[in-house]
Amino acid sequence: MKKNHGLLIVLSGPAGVGKGTVCNALRAVDDSINYSVSATTRAPREGEQDGVNYFFKSEAAFKEMIANDELLEWAKYVNNYYGTPLKYVNDTVRTGADIILEIEVQGAAKVRDRYPEGVFIFLAPPDLSELRKRIEERGTENSELIEERMTVAQAEIEMMAQYDYVVENDDVAKAVRRIRSIVEAEHCRKDRVIDHYRPFVEVK
Amino acid sequence: MKKNHGLLIVLSGPAGVGKGTVCNALRAVDDSINYSVSATTRAPREGEQDGVNYFFKSEAAFKEMIANDELLEWAKYVNNYYGTPLKYVNDTVRTGADIILEIEVQGAAKVRDRYPEGVFIFLAPPDLSELRKRIEERGTENSELIEERMTVAQAEIEMMAQYDYVVENDDVAKAVRRIRSIVEAEHCRKDRVIDHYRPFVEVK
């Protein structure tokens, strides 16, 4: 039987919902899922390795990747470019391994355009007041900025409609369990597996 | 937050694939899933309770259920009628509980017509030679009958296309785990949960 391709799993959600925490907890309990490595033009920090933490690129090399359509998505933050190399994703899923990409919602929307066969999971706050509390607890923003973030968060929750799944992050362990169930279930989706069974009905 | 409705999970698959074994194993490890109770006109056997093992009906009462469209599906075997009461399914899912229905493929197709929001899982043999071996091991059929069953099984495998998921029954414990993952993942499907989040974007 032909081996299944791996899945690209895109984990996104509003600012402050805990994407990083959930992703790290998932990484701690499940070593069968690979993590997407981003390309960036920012300088490596101490201990960071090329091809492990990031693919470190010059600005010219990064712009060439953009020009050659080699990035699933990219964005510029504070004078540095960040992006998701398509080749790394394709090379990984071709071996049958799954790969997870943790990304903000604008990036996820771009990935969806380029890679619609991915599994798009929206990490949702248990409720909006909880989100407000979490943002406030960061304690680094003034109240006006908090209101601004709430408006952004509301828009992002409306983006939920673009996803395949919604995982409520009421509890990190529960969120991790739900994500693992989604990955296992997606491997069983008829559209993904039916080709493997065609030989059974073609041969007697 | 409004409580989710439960799910109707339909487990089907070709003759001899092990639907009953997998369903019993699921029942043994997961008491959160209810089991559909069929209506039948056959006489109760010793120890069978009405409303637990079956809803025992007279032929007139059963035919009235058919006439009133109260059955998700029904069939006649050896002079007795068997069917799935829609009310029992609806009453169960309304409480938020999931309900599983183990049924042969023709019945599953009828349920799909009446209840498209169900989760349709096809239990598949690891491969066709394995199916042949399993049928042969029953030891009660002659070779001609085996060939006939194989033809039926091939047709049933073609029916796989009508399902949402394909779970390979290479191992009962693995099949049970996959089914439980599918149920958990389906509860996270965006289409099923997005209504719960609408209040977040309507109120400030």
Side-chain angles (χ1 to χ4, degrees):
Chain A
M1 190 182 292
K2 190 169 69 93
K3 193 158 165 32
N4 254 331
H5 263 211
L7 304 171
L8 171 62
I9 301 132
V10 178
L11 182 67
S12 190
V17 76
K19 292 186 288 293
T21 306
V22 167
C23 221
N24 286 339
L26 178 63
R27 192 193 285 253
V29 297
D30 191 338
D31 59 7
S32 75
I33 302 178
N34 295 271
Y35 290 80
S36 176
V37 177
S38 296
T40 184
T41 59
R42 82 152 166 75
R45 291 178 194 147
E46 204 180 313
E48 286 185 341
Q49 285 180 273
D50 186 51
V52 176
N53 306 92
Y54 285 95
F55 294 108
F56 294 103
K57 301 283 176 188
S58 68
E59 194 166 314
F62 196 100
K63 285 181 171 169
E64 206 179 306
M65 292 180 84
I66 297 172
N68 293 338
D69 219 17
E70 292 172 17
L71 296 169
L72 264 177
E73 56 77 40
W74 63 272
K76 195 178 181 183
Y77 299 111
V78 202
N79 291 326
N80 283 310
Y81 290 88
Y82 295 83
T84 305
L86 178 59
K87 184 179 178 341
Y88 187 76
V89 171
N90 282 341
D91 287 351
T92 305
V93 300
R94 210 169 284 134
T95 66
D98 300 323
I99 185 165
I100 194 163
L101 173 62
E102 177 215 329
I103 195 168
E104 32 65 56
V105 289
Q106 288 79 6
K110 290 180 199 167
V111 176
R112 178 122 218 174
D113 288 340
R114 285 289 301 276
Y115 205 100
E117 68 271 37
V119 178
F120 291 79
I121 303 175
F122 188 89
L123 196 65
D127 58 49
L128 208 53
S129 57
E130 178 71 13
L131 176 66
R132 180 187 288 265
K133 189 164 147 260
R134 288 190 197 186
I135 288 172
E136 282 168 351
E137 276 172 358
R138 288 186 177 181
T140 53
E141 287 95 13
N142 63 34
S143 167
E144 197 176 292
L145 194 55
I146 288 171
E147 287 306 319
E148 208 172 272
R149 287 211 169 193
M150 288 296 283
T151 307
V152 171
Q154 288 176 321
E156 286 170 331
I157 289 167
E158 282 171 357
M159 291 188 72
M160 194 185 280
Q162 306 305 313
Y163 290 75
D164 301 310
Y165 295 95
V166 177
V167 166
E168 198 171 279
N169 189 20
D170 50 345
D171 177 278
V172 171
K174 281 185 194 165
V176 165
R177 199 192 63 203
R178 289 172 191 137
I179 292 167
R180 298 181 76 191
S181 288
I182 290 167
V183 173
E184 179 152 42
E186 279 287 329
H187 278 288
C188 296
R189 284 195 75 81
K190 179 255 301 176
D191 292 339
R192 300 194 193 274
V193 297
I194 196 161
D195 285 347
H196 298 184
Y197 288 94
R198 295 212 193 278
F200 300 166
V201 295
E202 281 160 16
V203 297
K204 176 75 188 215
Chain B
M1 189 182 294
K2 190 169 70 90
K3 194 160 166 30
N4 254 333
H5 263 211
L7 304 171
L8 171 63
I9 301 132
V10 178
L11 182 68
S12 190
V17 76
K19 292 187 287 294
T21 306
V22 168
C23 221
N24 286 338
L26 178 63
R27 193 193 284 252
V29 297
D30 191 339
D31 59 8
S32 75
I33 303 179
N34 295 271
Y35 290 79
S36 177
V37 177
S38 298
T40 185
T41 59
R42 83 152 165 74
R45 291 178 192 145
E46 203 180 314
E48 286 186 340
Q49 285 180 272
D50 185 52
V52 176
N53 305 91
Y54 284 95
F55 294 108
F56 294 103
K57 301 283 176 189
S58 68
E59 193 166 315
F62 196 100
K63 285 181 172 170
E64 205 179 304
M65 291 179 83
I66 296 173
N68 293 337
D69 219 15
E70 292 171 17
L71 296 169
L72 264 177
E73 56 77 40
W74 63 272
K76 194 178 181 182
Y77 299 110
V78 201
N79 291 327
N80 284 309
Y81 290 88
Y82 295 83
T84 304
L86 180 57
K87 185 180 177 339
Y88 187 76
V89 170
N90 282 340
D91 288 352
T92 305
V93 300
R94 210 170 282 134
T95 68
D98 300 323
I99 185 166
I100 194 164
L101 172 62
E102 176 215 328
I103 195 168
E104 32 64 58
V105 290
Q106 288 80 4
K110 290 180 199 166
V111 176
R112 178 123 220 172
D113 288 340
R114 285 290 301 276
Y115 206 100
E117 67 271 37
V119 179
F120 291 79
I121 302 175
F122 189 89
L123 196 65
D127 58 48
L128 208 53
S129 58
E130 177 71 11
L131 176 66
R132 180 187 288 264
K133 190 164 146 258
R134 288 190 196 187
I135 289 172
E136 282 169 351
E137 276 172 359
R138 288 186 177 180
T140 54
E141 287 96 12
N142 62 35
S143 166
E144 197 176 293
L145 194 55
I146 288 171
E147 288 306 318
E148 208 173 273
R149 287 211 170 195
M150 288 295 284
T151 307
V152 172
Q154 288 176 322
E156 287 169 331
I157 290 168
E158 283 171 357
M159 290 188 73
M160 194 186 279
Q162 305 304 314
Y163 290 74
D164 302 310
Y165 296 94
V166 177
V167 166
E168 198 171 279
N169 189 20
D170 51 345
D171 176 279
V172 172
K174 279 185 195 166
V176 166
R177 200 192 63 203
R178 288 172 193 138
I179 292 168
R180 298 181 76 192
S181 288
I182 290 167
V183 173
E184 180 152 42
E186 279 288 327
H187 277 288
C188 296
R189 283 195 77 80
K190 180 256 300 176
D191 292 339
R192 299 195 193 273
V193 297
I194 196 162
D195 284 347
H196 298 183
Y197 288 95
R198 295 214 193 276
F200 300 166
V201 294
E202 282 160 15
V203 297
K204 177 73 188 216

